[in-house]
Amino acid sequence: MQPKLTVSTSERAQLVDITDQVAHIVAESGLMQGLCCLFVPHTTAGITLNENWDPTVKRDLLTALEGLVPWSLHYAHAEGNSAAHIKAALLGASACVPVQDSALVLGRWQGVYLAEFDGPRERVVVVTIIEDGVA
Amino acid sequence: MQPKLTVSTSERAQLVDITDQVAHIVAESGLMQGLCCLFVPHTTAGITLNENWDPTVKRDLLTALEGLVPWSLHYAHAEGNSAAHIKAALLGASACVPVQDSALVLGRWQGVYLAEFDGPRERVVVVTIIEDGVA
Amino acid sequence: MQPKLTVSTSERAQLVDITDQVAHIVAESGLMQGLCCLFVPHTTAGITLNENWDPTVKRDLLTALEGLVPWSLHYAHAEGNSAAHIKAALLGASACVPVQDSALVLGRWQGVYLAEFDGPRERVVVVTIIEDGVA
């Protein structure tokens, strides 16, 4: 009931659509009503939701983040991946999506993404299913 | 127990204070202790918390976001609303607020906002109430 | 079961590592599986997760945020702390971390931070423990 998704990224900065894998876990849980909380145990990757129809939305988001937090600026952190830490903080490490009838309550064009900022790597997303309601 | 608020926005970018509507749902739930998780099933709107006393705080936040992610920059996404997608990602689609004695545990000046970035539109906020505790 | 941490900050902008205090609360809760949701009832502070090994990561994050949202720009809000409100909105007021066997499921280098943007002050973090599972 607290499964981990493994996501292989192929670029330094990349939004990987994990909606289907998360939806599968929610369907298997049998949860009728509640919450599906996603978490990345990483400091240079994040979780975000956005349009999963037109791929240019992903590209624009990555380009905008690179413009705000350029990879090659002078940073204090010697590992050279400070921009990835900062972008991950801007998007956040967790997000909670409602569940109804064993399905994610997403908008029509909305998908769930792992946001990679220091790839390529193998990443993990921890999925926690919580039941709604007052006893 | 998983009600949806409907929020009508009147401007392209706008922070709509939904604290009272959310507080009403929490009061009706009778939840003594737990969590109220808010979610927007949209990709050009977000959820944020901020001061709801002085309205200039809202204005400054919208102005700062517009400065960081200008509407009229050149973006790949042909619909012309890429800035809205990016701003929504920066604020996030979900937030979870503690509940005590059927009331939101907010700071004295803190309110809950729907953040509209591609209005005017009719928006939805999904409210999930979760009970606290270890069985 | 909904304890409040008190955090004293000593600078205007500062990331205070609260991982140990949160882990202690989770350990005491005896929660075998679920979620630990953190919330700041403040509008000029936030919650973030990031590397807690090399302190330069914290410094780079604070420097980058100050570059994006300078303290001394001209803002409408007369109190002079608009930048703090904006930075707090960018990081967010809440985050939810999975729990397994009474411990936070964090990455090896990952820590939980209170992000102060208008200190020094005394801040509060509300910790909500939620049990996982479908009845």
Side-chain angles (χ1 to χ4, degrees), chain B residues 10-123:
Chain B
S10 57
E11 296 176 62
R12 181 190 281 167
Q14 186 182 6
L15 294 175
V16 183
D17 190 336
I18 58 171
T19 314
D20 288 351
Q21 292 102 300
V22 176
H24 183 73
I25 289 171
V26 169
E28 296 244 304
S29 78
L31 179 68
M32 293 314 289
Q33 190 165 283
L35 213 56
C36 171
C37 290
L38 305 162
F39 179 80
V40 284
H42 304 292
T43 60
T44 54
I47 288 285
T48 193
L49 290 106
N50 220 317
E51 182 176 322
N52 67 354
W53 180 249
D54 181 349
T56 59
V57 171
K58 291 198 294 183
R59 210 199 312 162
D60 283 337
L61 177 54
L62 294 176
T63 303
L65 287 171
E66 180 63 24
L68 295 173
V69 188
W71 182 268
S72 54
L73 222 66
H74 179 72
Y75 297 102
H77 185 47
E79 274 186 61
N81 63 351
S82 267
H85 288 284
I86 297 160
K87 290 172 180 177
L90 289 176
L91 294 196
S94 68
C96 292
V97 183
V99 172
Q100 278 282 352
D101 301 331
S102 305
L104 295 168
V105 180
L106 291 171
R108 188 171 177 184
W109 314 110
Q110 198 175 26
V112 183
Y113 290 97
L114 172 97
E116 172 66 82
F117 294 119
D118 191 22
R121 294 212 202 180
E122 191 142 296
R123 299 294 197 173

Side-chain angles (χ1 to χ4, degrees), chain C residues 41-102:
Chain C
H42 304 291
T43 60
T44 55
I47 289 285
T48 192
L49 290 107
N50 220 317
E51 181 175 323
N52 67 353
W53 180 249
D54 181 348
T56 59
V57 171
K58 291 197 295 183
R59 209 199 312 163
D60 283 337
L61 176 54
L62 293 176
T63 303
L65 286 171
E66 180 62 24
L68 294 173
V69 188
W71 182 268
S72 55
L73 222 67
H74 180 71
Y75 298 102
H77 186 47
E79 275 186 61
N81 63 351
S82 268
H85 287 285
I86 297 160
K87 290 171 180 177
L90 290 176
L91 295 196
S94 68
C96 292
V97 183
V99 172
Q100 278 283 352
D101 300 331
S102 307

Side-chain angles (χ1 to χ4, degrees), chain A:
Chain A
M1 278 316 299
Q2 203 177 41
K4 288 181 172 68
L5 293 176
T6 303
V7 182
S8 291
T9 64
S10 56
E11 296 175 62
R12 181 190 282 166
Q14 186 182 5
L15 294 175
V16 183
D17 190 336
I18 57 170
T19 315
D20 288 350
Q21 291 102 299
V22 177
H24 182 74
I25 289 171
V26 169
E28 296 243 305
S29 77
L31 178 68
M32 292 314 289
Q33 190 164 284
L35 213 56
C36 171
C37 290
L38 305 162
F39 179 80
V40 283
H42 304 290
T43 59
T44 54
I47 288 284
T48 192
L49 290 107
N50 220 317
E51 181 176 322
N52 66 356
W53 180 248
D54 181 350
T56 58
V57 171
K58 292 198 294 183
R59 208 198 313 162
D60 283 337
L61 177 55
L62 293 175
T63 303
L65 287 171
E66 180 62 24
L68 294 173
V69 188
W71 182 267
S72 56
L73 222 66
H74 179 71
Y75 298 101
H77 185 48
E79 276 186 60
N81 63 352
S82 268
H85 287 284
I86 297 160
K87 290 172 180 177
L90 290 176
L91 294 196
S94 68
C96 292
V97 183
V99 172
Q100 277 283 353
D101 301 331
S102 306
L104 295 168
V105 180
L106 291 171
R108 188 171 178 184
W109 313 111
Q110 198 175 26
V112 183
Y113 290 96
L114 172 96
E116 171 66 82
F117 294 119
D118 191 23
R121 293 212 202 180
E122 190 142 297
R123 298 294 197 174
V124 167
V125 179
V126 184
V127 183
T128 307
I129 305 285
I130 302 281
E131 195 168 26
D132 187 336
V134 176

